[in-house]
Amino acid sequence: MNTPCRCHWVDLTKPDYVAYHDTEWGVPVYDDNKLFEFLTLEAAQAGLSWYTVLKKRDSYRAAFANFDPVKVAAFDEAKAAELLQNPGIIRNRLKVAAAINNAARFLEVQAEFGSFSNYQWRFVNNAPQQNSIAGPADYRATSPESDALSKDLKKRGFKFVGSTIIYAHMQACGMVNDHHNNCFRKTQVVAS
């Protein structure tokens, strides 16, 4: 059986990483709870590898009320202290505080735009950007769109939303299709 060509960054020895690449990464996401999940996980990933966070995703789902922003926004100091004792997540005080803060800001954006999806997708004119990735040098860390979204999120009081984090978020939730040109998922994601 031929192994399909995948993006160079996928570690083929890690089945969960391969599954993430093959089923989730780059697929357009419009569900607000899923967008809140990706935003929270990308912020948690700052300074770490994505795989570190991916391995902890189930623990994050349990700890952060299945990424329900209404519930997370209501977390108090006692809950934050409890989270900092949870070995299943990244126990960084600033990142935990940011997740709780961002949930409240997320609800404000939902109230203003009808959904976070409506707000977020405006930054790419409501259509996934198709990038040409011929090799590792073609991957970027930011874009004018991630700069603009990051700046706007910061203005609205979000934390851990620098342009690099936001570009990774945009990749994860399909605002940009950064699958390698030869990756079998490139055209599948376009068709989704």
Side-chain angles (χ1 to χ4, degrees):
M1 181 172 122
N2 288 344
T3 302
C5 183
R6 291 182 172 90
C7 296
H8 81 281
W9 55 263
V10 182
D11 184 339
L12 299 178
T13 67
K14 298 173 178 167
D16 49 351
Y17 209 16
V18 172
Y20 171 73
H21 170 272
D22 289 1
T23 62
E24 289 187 77
W25 194 71
V27 176
V29 174
Y30 302 96
D31 175 79
D32 272 13
N33 278 39
K34 194 73 171 167
L35 292 173
F36 180 63
E37 175 178 353
F38 275 127
L39 199 61
T40 302
L41 294 176
E42 292 296 349
Q45 186 247 328
L48 304 168
S49 76
W50 171 245
Y51 188 66
T52 298
V53 175
L54 183 65
K55 288 187 302 185
K56 295 179 177 284
R57 183 158 65 168
D58 288 340
S59 294
Y60 265 93
R61 285 180 176 147
F64 285 90
N66 207 32
F67 294 105
D68 180 335
V70 173
K71 292 178 180 175
V72 176
F75 285 2
D76 57 14
E77 288 296 322
K79 181 63 174 178
E82 177 189 316
L83 289 169
L84 290 170
Q85 301 305 312
N86 184 339
I89 67 168
I90 308 298
R91 293 180 289 181
N92 176 296
R93 186 175 308 281
L94 294 176
K95 290 177 180 181
V96 168
I100 298 167
N101 168 75
N102 290 353
R105 305 294 76 79
F106 194 93
L107 297 175
E108 292 167 358
V109 169
Q110 283 181 323
E112 182 178 346
F113 291 89
S115 73
F116 193 84
S117 178
N118 289 342
Y119 161 76
Q120 174 177 297
W121 280 90
R122 297 175 319 127
F123 288 87
V124 290
N125 296 317
N126 298 305
Q129 295 179 328
Q130 304 300 322
N131 292 329
S132 179
I133 308 292
D138 293 328
Y139 283 103
R140 56 176 62 173
T142 63
S143 69
E145 294 79 11
S146 70
D147 292 346
L149 178 51
S150 169
K151 183 178 180 182
D152 197 70
L153 288 167
K154 288 177 183 176
K155 186 177 77 179
R156 293 171 181 279
F158 284 78
K159 306 292 184 197
F160 279 88
V161 289
S163 189
T164 301
I165 289 171
I166 292 304
Y167 192 75
H169 172 71
M170 292 170 67
Q171 288 175 311
C173 63
M175 293 174 74
V176 295
N177 181 356
D178 274 354
H179 281 283
H180 189 284
N181 294 346
N182 295 329
C183 176
F184 83 101
R185 287 292 288 158
K186 181 79 169 184
T187 55
Q188 290 179 357
V189 167
V190 172
S192 66

